Amino acid sequence: MHIQCTKATLDYFKPEITEHDTDNDMYAWHAHFLKRSGKNLLVLMHDLSRFTVVFYGLKKSHIKELYPMISVAIMNAMMDAGIPLEAMGAYMERQPEALSFNKTKNRTLVARLNKAVEMVDHILGTDGYYADSIEQRHASLFCNELLVCEDNYKVCYHPEEKLREYLELLIK
């Protein structure tokens, strides 16, 4: 899985940078890290579908377990979104064996990521967060059910539906 990180995310994780072409890559994600109410907030967004996964309360000790933590959170977010089990299984079976990191790819995806972060900020501000879990499934579900638009509002979709379409291509 390849994660393209904002500067704040790179500064926090201090990963080894890997050059990787992620055009039309099902395993390409963007990540943004920030502090909210004294805790660390990490927002992951799938490049192709804008499907979002949210972590709140992340600590340095979690960095060692980041890949399994992200994999489980993606599976949980897919379950919450009603993605079929066989599609989830196909995605998880084919995922790369390790995480790779790079700087953000382009301004368009960063703008989309910032919009997702705004929505996460909104839902955590109104509904609060689950203190017993780093993974904020309600915030992920909220973001994935929102209508998002591209190309000057000519193309609009729900991230969960778009991800479902991409996953169906994997199982065909």
Side-chain angles (χ1 to χ4, degrees):
M1 196 172 302
H2 190 69
I3 300 178
Q4 294 157 89
C5 306
T6 60
K7 183 172 178 354
T9 311
L10 289 172
D11 290 346
Y12 186 74
F13 290 134
K14 296 179 178 53
E16 184 178 319
I17 303 294
T18 307
E19 293 297 324
H20 184 65
D21 179 26
T22 58
D23 293 340
N24 295 321
D25 186 354
M26 274 297 291
Y27 297 96
W29 294 74
H30 265 70
H32 185 55
F33 172 85
L34 61 156
K35 285 227 183 250
R36 285 291 178 259
S37 302
K39 293 193 176 190
N40 298 326
L41 173 66
L42 177 67
V43 179
L44 292 175
M45 183 191 72
H46 188 249
D47 285 5
L48 298 176
S49 66
R50 292 171 71 175
F51 192 80
T52 306
V53 179
V54 181
F55 299 95
Y56 185 71
L58 201 66
K59 297 178 180 158
K60 285 277 190 184
S61 61
H62 292 122
I63 293 174
K64 290 179 245 165
E65 307 146 5
L66 194 60
Y67 193 44
M69 193 170 70
I70 287 173
S71 293
V72 168
I74 290 171
M75 278 191 344
N76 288 337
M78 286 180 179
M79 275 194 302
D80 292 343
I83 305 266
L85 285 175
E86 68 175 353
M88 284 175 32
Y91 185 80
M92 291 302 167
E93 273 178 21
R94 297 177 185 163
Q95 74 181 356
E97 293 179 18
L99 286 177
S100 58
F101 297 89
N102 198 2
K103 295 177 184 174
T104 53
K105 181 162 61 174
N106 64 37
R107 290 169 38 150
T108 304
L109 283 169
V110 172
R112 292 175 184 163
L113 178 61
N114 287 337
K115 196 64 157 167
V117 170
E118 280 179 32
M119 294 300 105
V120 168
D121 252 354
H122 170 73
I123 194 68
L124 290 178
T126 56
D127 290 0
Y129 64 92
Y130 297 127
D132 59 338
S133 175
I134 294 170
E135 187 183 330
Q136 301 299 309
R137 291 172 70 167
H138 70 294
S140 299
L141 184 61
F142 176 78
C143 290
N144 295 328
E145 290 177 340
L146 288 175
L147 190 65
V148 294
C149 298
E150 295 176 357
D151 197 21
N152 254 356
Y153 296 94
K154 292 177 185 161
V155 178
C156 296
Y157 56 88
H158 296 276
E160 60 189 19
E161 292 171 5
K162 189 72 150 184
L163 181 64
R164 190 176 290 118
E165 289 173 18
Y166 281 112
L167 292 174
E168 285 174 6
L169 295 175
L170 277 181
I171 56 177
K172 286 185 179 180

